[in-house]
């Protein structure tokens, strides 16, 4: 090669490519392979094929390849297969876009049907995989693409199901009625990890209202930032140890938290007793009571007559009374909070603990049902204003303002999350005991801060909601009897064929919706029809299953734990977490599927922001080189 007199990266790149183009690297490697020390496994953290690679992805790929080359030079044979994350929300939403669909999930299915969406997903991942492989070649990546794993393929799905089988056997996999984070646009629940990705500053109403107590001439003053949850209101919470004060305000008696009295009255523009001589609206404290002494006092919901479902429960006296609970924060609002168990995690737990029925007049589209009376047919958040107006008419209005606060939004669609009581499937992580933490503690992380962050997340032991109400994903292979509710889990194609009473697509059906949904079983108890539970799996479950699902049985036992894996720092709540949990479940012991994990920092743009497609700072101007 000539010696360059001028630095021209484009020319140098071209020259190097044409030089390397003549070398068959694979055959070079094969020659070397005859002389290896031992075999090492590697598991590729699969990129999601909803788009093309960009500069933010590249450094991680280069680190992986460097490690591979280094280990190869040390005479290890490294199993270095590519892997592709091919299912789930990001792919499905992108496919909907390509089909020109702009509505919510249910509108889109109505327009084109499940099969067209599935076909569009498959096409999309093929197109994007081609682009990824092209860029990998330009980078000089050494992945084995022929033996790459694809999370949507039937053989992968059947092996992924083995994790579910193990979890089912050891009692970790459970159906549970519980409040989950739910995206109204994507119409699916989201995991804790997904919710943590999308906190933003949002504006909400700050609404004070009053409810009349049943047995005394007094009003409880309550604060909420989600007026629509008055439709699912069941209880009012006070702190048992806090002092509450009865105050006279314009000839009405109000009950508020003593700590909040002064600032609340200021906020509401009500002046204290001293000002009475000046003839200004005033308040005067009458007496105080401890929160625990308010427990059990009943109140009259101001909108009762217009919400039939709520009226029924209230008439039965199962709801609408005060509960004293430690979680109630007396430093904000009025010191009293209302509890809407259908729309709040803590609210739900308190109601469940007290065996109070949960009123959920909300459907899959997050729209109020018949039971919500005058609010039926409305998207819940659109009901805020109507609720405030109805409260005004019912003389229950105190004040409405605005508040800007941190609130989770959907990481894909940007919509505000709604907390919703739903039936979902969970991995009960706390039942794994100390195994996850013990497994994670034995790993080498190279730096303290990501290590500590990862271990803290493991310690949370939050139940992992693994079910999603979408189309394009690994189906949950559990069937439920339409009459008696008996459940049966079938974790392989052979088991399904053996039990099916209806196989409308023959025995080589595809393990995806809509085909798998057509398969019916006959209940072994009551002989009625059993239908598949209508869920697919969290896409993070797909990639977390890769150690077992992408390898053969013998490879898995020989190569896992892998010596070294690396991904971005955001994967502490993502892939690293699901890999670890699933491996602990699969082996039912305290073993991580990796000995070392390097969490890389993000690639940043010129303003210091993370480079990612969703932030729109990775589009490359034609002809502009980002290397110089
Ligand atoms: Zn969404
Ligand atoms: Zn049955």
């Amino acid at each position: 090669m000539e010696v360059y007199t001028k630095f021209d990266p484009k020319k140098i790149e071209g020259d190097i490519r044409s030089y390397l183009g003549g070398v068959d690297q694979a055959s070079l490697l094969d020659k070397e392979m005859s002389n290896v020390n031992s075999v090492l496994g590697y598991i590729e953290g699969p990129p999601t094929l909803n788009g093309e690679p960009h500069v933010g992805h590249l450094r991680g790929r280069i680190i992986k390849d460097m490690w591979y080359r280094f280990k190869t030079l040390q005479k290890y044979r490294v199993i270095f297969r590519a892997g592709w994350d091919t299912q789930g929300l990001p792919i499905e939403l992108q496919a909907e876009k390509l089909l020109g669909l702009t509505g919510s999930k249910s509108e889109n299915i109505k327009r084109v049907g499940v099969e067209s969406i599935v076909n569009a997903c498959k096409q999309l991942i093929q197109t994007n995989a081609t682009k990824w492989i092209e860029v990998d070649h330009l980078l000089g990546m050494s992945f084995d693409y022929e033996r790459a794993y694809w999370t949507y393929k039937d053989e992968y799905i059947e092996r992924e199901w083995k994790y579910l089988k193990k979890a089912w056997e050891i009692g970790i996999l459970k159906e549970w009625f519980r409040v989950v984070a739910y995206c109204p646009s994507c119409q699916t629940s989201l995991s804790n990890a997904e919710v943590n990705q999308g906190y933003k500053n949002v504006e909400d109403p700050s609404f004070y209202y009053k409810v009349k107590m049943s047995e005394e001439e007094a009003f409880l003053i309550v604060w909420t930032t989600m007026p629509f949850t008055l439709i699912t209101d069941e209880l009012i919470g006070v702190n048992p140890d806090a002092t509450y004060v009865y105050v006279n305000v314009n000839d009405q008696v109000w009950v508020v938290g003593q700590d909040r009295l002064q600032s609340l009255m200021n906020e509401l523009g009500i002046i204290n007793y001293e000002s009475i001589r000046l003839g200004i609206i005033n308040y005067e404290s009458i007496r105080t009571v401890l929160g625990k002494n308010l427990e059990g006092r009943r109140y009259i919901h101001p909108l009762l007559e217009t919400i039939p479902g709520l009226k029924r429960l209230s008439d039965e006296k199962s709801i609408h009374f005060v509960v004293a609970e430690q979680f109630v924060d007396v430093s904000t609002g009025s010191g009293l909070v209302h509890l809407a168990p259908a729309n709040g995690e803590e609210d739900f737990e308190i109601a469940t603990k007290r065996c109070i029925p949960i009123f959920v007049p909300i459907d899959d589209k997050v729209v109020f049902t018949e039971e919500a009376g005058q609010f039926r047919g409305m998207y819940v958040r659109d009901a805020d204003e109507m609720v405030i107006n109805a409260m005004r008419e019912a003389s229950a209005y105190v004040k409405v303002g605005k508040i800007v606060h941190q609130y989770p939004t959907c990481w894909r669609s940007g919509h505000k999350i709604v907390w919703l009581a739903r039936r979902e499937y969970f991995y009960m992580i706390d039942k794994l005991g100390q195994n996850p933490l013990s497994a994670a503690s034995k790993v080498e992380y190279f730096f303290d801060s990501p290590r500590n962050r990862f271990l803290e997340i493991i310690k949370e032991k939050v139940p992992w909601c693994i079910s999603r109400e979408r189309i394009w994903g690994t189906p949950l292979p559990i069937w439920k009897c339409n009459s008696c509710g008996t459940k049966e889990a079938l974790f392989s194609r052979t088991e399904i064929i053996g039990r099916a009473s209806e196989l409308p697509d023959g025995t080589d059906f595809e393990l995806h919706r809509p085909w798998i949904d057509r398969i019916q079983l006959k209940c072994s108890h009551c002989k009625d029809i059993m239908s598949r539970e209508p869920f697919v799996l969290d896409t993070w479950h797909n990639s977390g299953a890769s150690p077992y699902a992408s390898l053969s049985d013998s490879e898995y036992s020989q190569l896992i734990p892998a010596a070294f894996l690396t991904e971005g720092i955001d994967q502490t709540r993502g892939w690293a977490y699901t890999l670890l949990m699933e491996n602990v479940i699969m082996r039912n012991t305290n073993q991580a599927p990796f000995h070392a994990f390097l969490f890389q920092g993000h690639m940043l743009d010129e303003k210091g922001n993370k480079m990612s497609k969703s932030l729109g700072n990775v589009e490359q101007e034609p002809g502009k080189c980002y290397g110089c």
Side-chain angles (χ1 to χ4, degrees):
M1 266 203 221
E2 61 180 297
V3 175
Y4 300 97
T5 49
K6 180 172 160 270
F7 179 60
D8 180 349
K10 283 279 166 205
K11 178 171 177 1
I12 295 171
E13 186 183 343
D15 290 350
I16 292 172
R17 283 199 196 297
S18 62
Y19 170 73
L20 285 177
V23 182
D24 181 353
Q25 303 212 35
S27 72
L28 262 186
L29 207 57
D30 278 345
K31 265 181 226 152
E32 290 294 320
M33 286 302 91
S34 52
N35 185 20
V36 292
N37 280 338
S38 61
V39 186
L40 283 181
Y42 185 84
I43 299 294
E44 157 71 335
T48 307
L49 292 181
N50 64 330
E52 302 172 21
H54 59 67
V55 64
H57 295 117
L58 300 189
R59 186 182 48 182
R61 292 185 99 58
I62 292 167
I63 294 173
K64 292 171 186 179
D65 203 63
M66 268 167 40
W67 176 82
Y68 165 78
R69 284 163 192 253
F70 180 60
K71 286 296 160 191
T72 304
L73 288 173
Q74 288 181 324
K75 294 205 178 297
Y76 286 98
R77 189 164 83 84
V78 184
I79 305 293
F80 197 58
R81 296 174 192 158
W84 308 110
D85 199 11
T86 56
Q87 300 185 124
L89 207 49
I91 308 275
E92 209 180 303
L93 294 183
Q94 190 62 24
E96 285 181 350
K97 237 186 238 173
L98 294 178
L99 288 170
L101 301 170
T102 51
S104 67
K105 182 186 77 175
S106 36
E107 288 160 3
N108 295 342
I109 294 177
K110 218 180 198 175
R111 258 189 70 193
V112 301
V114 169
E115 211 168 319
S116 317
I117 294 175
V118 165
N119 288 334
C121 289
K122 287 182 191 164
Q123 211 166 22
L124 173 77
I125 56 182
Q126 291 306 335
T127 310
N128 285 332
T130 309
K131 289 176 186 159
W132 272 85
I133 292 170
E134 199 184 311
V135 172
D136 275 0
H137 281 318
L138 290 174
L139 271 180
M141 293 291 295
S142 320
F143 277 135
D144 177 350
Y145 295 96
E146 266 172 40
R147 272 163 289 223
Y149 72 89
W150 299 74
T151 57
Y152 79 98
K153 295 209 167 164
D154 280 3
E155 61 266 27
Y156 189 94
I157 287 177
E158 276 201 79
R159 290 186 73 81
E160 183 180 357
W161 279 352
K162 295 291 179 252
Y163 289 88
L164 294 172
K165 183 176 187 181
K166 198 71 201 239
W168 184 259
E169 282 166 5
I170 61 176
I172 298 293
L173 174 57
K174 283 262 184 310
E175 182 192 350
W176 203 12
F177 181 61
R178 189 166 185 266
V179 170
V180 292
Y182 190 85
C183 171
S185 173
C186 304
Q187 290 174 13
T188 183
S189 60
L190 299 174
S191 71
N192 206 46
E194 289 170 303
V195 172
N196 277 301
Q197 285 180 52
Y199 271 88
K200 277 196 196 131
N201 271 328
V202 301
E203 192 181 89
D204 272 317
S206 163
F207 181 45
Y208 288 98
Y209 64 91
K210 55 189 178 186
V211 297
K212 171 112 184 33
M213 296 176 79
S214 307
E215 294 109 10
E216 51 189 311
E217 275 303 316
F219 291 87
L220 303 170
I221 306 302
V222 189
W223 180 63
T224 181
T225 57
M226 290 190 281
F228 75 85
T229 58
L230 267 158
I231 298 164
T232 52
D233 169 272
E234 299 191 13
L235 302 162
I236 285 174
V238 294
N239 188 297
D241 305 321
T243 304
Y244 289 83
V245 52
Y246 283 71
V247 286
N248 209 330
V249 177
N250 296 331
D251 300 326
Q252 256 182 16
V253 178
W254 290 7
V255 180
V256 303
Q258 189 171 45
D259 287 355
R260 288 289 301 156
L261 180 63
Q262 183 92 51
S263 40
L264 180 65
M265 292 300 151
N266 286 346
E267 197 180 332
L268 300 178
I270 299 166
I271 316 295
N272 72 16
Y273 181 68
E274 291 305 307
S275 313
I276 198 163
R277 281 160 293 168
L278 304 170
I280 301 171
I281 307 170
N282 63 86
Y283 70 91
E284 179 190 7
S285 300
I286 306 169
R287 63 188 170 96
T288 60
V289 60
L290 275 179
K292 58 180 161 225
N293 296 325
L294 290 169
E295 163 96 38
R297 306 282 176 91
R298 305 195 57 81
Y299 65 90
I300 303 157
H301 190 293
L303 307 179
L304 210 51
E305 297 305 323
T306 63
I307 307 170
L310 214 52
K311 173 105 168 67
R312 182 170 40 80
L313 291 173
S314 194
D315 287 349
E316 291 165 4
K317 297 207 184 316
S318 2
I319 58 172
H320 294 154
F321 52 89
V322 175
V323 292
E325 289 286 346
Q326 286 297 347
F327 91 96
V328 177
D329 177 8
V330 286
S331 68
T332 56
S334 62
L336 293 92
V337 295
H338 91 106
L339 305 184
N343 300 109
E345 276 180 298
E346 275 166 325
D347 314 34
F348 181 90
E349 263 150 42
I350 285 161
T352 310
K353 188 175 82 181
R354 292 165 184 261
C355 299
I356 292 164
I358 314 290
F359 177 51
V360 196
I362 300 168
D363 67 13
D364 286 353
K365 297 170 199 155
V366 202
V367 164
F368 282 116
T369 62
E370 246 357 82
E371 290 270 87
Q374 63 167 330
F375 302 99
R376 73 178 164 273
M378 290 187 94
Y379 166 56
V380 297
R381 281 193 187 276
D382 290 343
D384 277 350
E385 205 182 314
M386 193 167 155
V387 167
I388 293 170
N389 288 337
M391 292 291 277
R392 207 189 294 263
E393 276 165 35
S395 306
Y397 173 97
V398 175
K399 189 188 173 170
V400 70
K402 286 195 167 83
I403 182 174
V404 176
H405 59 162
Q406 285 267 306
Y407 190 86
T409 56
C410 173
W411 64 291
R412 295 311 310 186
S413 67
H415 284 80
K416 276 189 205 172
I417 298 289
V418 174
W419 302 96
L420 201 55
R422 294 185 63 83
R423 191 174 70 81
E424 301 281 352
Y425 279 80
F426 290 84
Y427 277 163
M428 309 305 283
I429 296 296
D430 59 328
K431 290 196 180 171
L432 295 170
Q434 286 305 307
N435 278 348
L437 185 62
S438 160
S441 304
K442 291 186 282 189
V443 172
E444 166 66 70
Y445 300 95
F446 309 99
F447 299 97
D448 280 347
S449 114
R451 172 182 200 274
N452 296 340
R453 176 181 158 139
F454 189 52
L455 295 186
E456 283 311 307
I457 293 167
I458 303 284
K459 281 182 203 161
E460 288 172 7
K461 296 188 181 176
V462 188
W464 174 10
C465 178
I466 59 161
S467 52
R468 295 291 181 274
E469 295 87 334
R470 297 293 309 192
I471 297 164
W472 180 237
T474 299
L476 181 76
I478 296 176
W479 276 258
K480 193 170 180 178
C481 174
N482 297 353
S483 300
C484 74
T486 298
K487 273 189 241 162
E488 201 168 327
L490 303 166
F491 298 107
S492 70
R493 178 189 294 274
T494 319
E495 282 178 60
I496 295 172
I497 293 171
R499 269 294 281 126
S501 56
E502 290 288 333
L503 278 174
D505 299 292
T507 53
D508 58 351
F509 56 91
E510 190 181 324
L511 299 181
H512 271 116
R513 301 185 66 190
W515 303 282
I516 195 163
D517 291 342
R518 297 182 189 147
I519 296 169
Q520 293 182 341
L521 273 56
K522 206 166 259 169
C523 176
S524 43
H525 284 263
C526 72
K527 306 290 171 214
D528 199 356
I529 290 169
M530 301 177 93
S531 316
R532 194 183 71 83
E533 289 282 63
F535 300 105
V536 295
L537 296 182
D538 179 1
T539 177
W540 292 99
H541 190 282
N542 305 164
S543 50
S546 50
Y548 181 79
S550 74
L551 299 171
S552 69
D553 281 354
S554 65
E555 285 171 334
Y556 176 70
S557 53
Q558 192 194 349
L559 303 176
I560 302 298
F564 168 82
L565 299 185
T566 179
E567 291 299 328
I569 183 70
D570 48 334
Q571 301 301 329
T572 45
R573 280 197 187 274
W575 192 55
Y577 181 88
T578 62
L579 269 182
L580 182 107
M581 288 304 171
E582 288 181 51
N583 207 65
V584 166
I585 290 169
M586 179 62 105
R587 288 191 162 151
N588 200 14
T589 177
N590 59 346
Q591 193 187 61
F594 38 79
H595 286 304
F597 204 112
L598 170 67
F599 290 105
Q600 319 139 26
H602 292 304
M603 292 276 285
L604 304 181
D605 69 6
E606 69 273 26
K607 293 188 191 98
N609 296 317
K610 172 188 164 185
M611 296 185 84
S612 80
K613 203 177 156 201
S614 60
L615 295 176
N617 56 359
V618 289
E619 295 306 321
Q620 189 169 340
E621 289 165 38
K624 185 173 172 191
C625 175
Y626 275 68
C628 45

